[in-house]
């Protein structure tokens, strides 16, 4: 029941791994250049697509989203990769910020179970998803961004603009635990 953390060259990818480790959630960090075959051999319970500097350096992340049959959580750049994979546009944010904000949890099921109706998070808004991809629903929004979190309507695909792995997201560990529960309950 191991979660693979896909390193998209972001400064917080190792923090994601450490957060899972502290929560006693089995995890392994892998480079985003890992082949689909090698990822499949590891038989992950789920994937977390970490943050990074740009979509151009996202390696095989989009391929994992398209081809793997397991729960996936995209964080920051991972959120944007998820949106682009399903045809949505990512653009520079109208209000660029890197700060703690409060998000409104619109749907408390799955990854936000027990966390609503609002939550303080550490968010990076330089680039953001500006339109919801087809087959997705918005799970959370904020005064800064209309799509702080989203979920595929039929598949266990989730993504968030903010960083649950940092101290300034006090309920981040609970979100990781909720995602792990999704992974443990998924039967593909």
């Amino acid at each position: 029941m191991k979660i693979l953390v896909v390193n998209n060259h972001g400064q917080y990818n190792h923090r994601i791994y450490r957060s899972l480790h502290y929560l006693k959630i089995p995890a392994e960090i892998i480079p985003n250049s890992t082949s689909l075959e090698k990822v499949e051999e590891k038989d992950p319970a789920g994937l977390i697509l970490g943050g990074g500097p740009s979509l151009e350096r996202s390696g095989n992340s989009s391929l994992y989203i398209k081809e793997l049959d397991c729960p996936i959580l995209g964080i920051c750049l991972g959120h944007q990769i998820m949106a682009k994979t399903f045809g949505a546009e990512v653009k520079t944010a109208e209000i660029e910020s890197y700060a703690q904000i409060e998000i409104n949890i619109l749907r408390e099921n799955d990854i936000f179970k027990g966390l609503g109706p609002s939550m303080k998070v550490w968010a990076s808004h330089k680039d953001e998803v500006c339109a919801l991809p087809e087959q997705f629903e918005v799970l959370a929004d904020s005064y800064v961004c209309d799509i702080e979190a989203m979920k595929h309507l039929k598949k266990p695909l989730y993504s968030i603009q903010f960083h649950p792995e940092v101290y300034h997201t006090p309920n981040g560990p609970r979100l990781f635990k909720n995602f792990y529960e999704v992974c443990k309950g998924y039967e593909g």
Side-chain angles (χ1 to χ4, degrees):
M1 293 302 303
K2 184 185 294 187
I3 291 180
L4 298 181
V5 178
V6 178
N7 185 346
N8 280 312
H9 309 288
Q11 61 186 0
Y12 289 148
N13 287 283
H14 286 85
R15 279 184 164 246
I16 295 168
Y17 169 77
R18 276 201 315 268
S19 294
L20 297 174
H21 178 74
Y22 294 149
L23 294 168
K24 308 234 182 301
I25 296 172
E28 177 183 346
I29 193 164
I30 61 169
N32 66 8
S33 58
T34 306
S35 72
L36 181 63
E37 293 77 22
K38 287 209 188 282
V39 172
E40 289 174 328
E41 284 172 15
K42 293 179 182 288
D43 192 27
L47 252 66
I48 294 178
L49 303 177
S54 67
L55 288 165
E56 291 75 31
R57 296 191 61 203
S58 61
N60 291 330
S61 295
S62 188
L63 181 63
Y64 305 151
I65 293 168
K66 289 179 198 172
E67 299 295 330
L68 293 174
D69 184 23
C70 66
I72 299 175
L73 172 64
I75 297 174
C76 198
L77 177 67
H79 173 63
Q80 297 156 20
I81 295 166
M82 183 90 60
K84 288 285 278 186
T85 299
F86 286 91
E89 185 181 349
V90 173
K91 67 175 185 175
T92 301
E94 287 183 26
I95 303 172
E96 288 187 39
S97 69
Y98 193 67
Q100 189 179 55
I101 63 165
E102 189 165 309
I103 63 168
N104 307 305
I105 297 171
L106 307 173
R107 295 191 181 11
E108 198 177 323
N109 63 345
D110 298 341
I111 63 171
F112 288 112
K113 188 174 185 177
L115 295 173
S118 64
M119 179 175 160
K120 291 192 182 309
V121 301
W122 189 257
S124 171
H125 293 100
K126 180 171 177 9
D127 296 316
E128 65 185 24
V129 177
C130 57
L132 193 64
E134 284 187 37
Q135 301 276 331
F136 277 77
E137 66 179 338
V138 177
L139 298 179
D141 66 10
S142 73
Y143 74 93
V144 179
C145 177
D146 291 337
I147 307 172
E148 289 287 356
M150 64 183 191
K151 177 195 182 301
H152 195 278
L153 293 172
K154 297 179 181 169
K155 300 177 183 179
L157 304 175
Y158 306 84
S159 64
I160 56 179
Q161 182 65 48
F162 59 90
H163 292 274
E165 71 275 16
V166 299
Y167 174 79
H168 297 293
T169 303
N171 283 321
R174 179 73 182 269
L175 187 139
F176 282 133
K177 286 180 185 176
N178 285 345
F179 178 65
Y180 190 51
E181 288 303 315
V182 169
C183 293
K184 290 193 305 186
Y186 185 67
E187 296 181 8

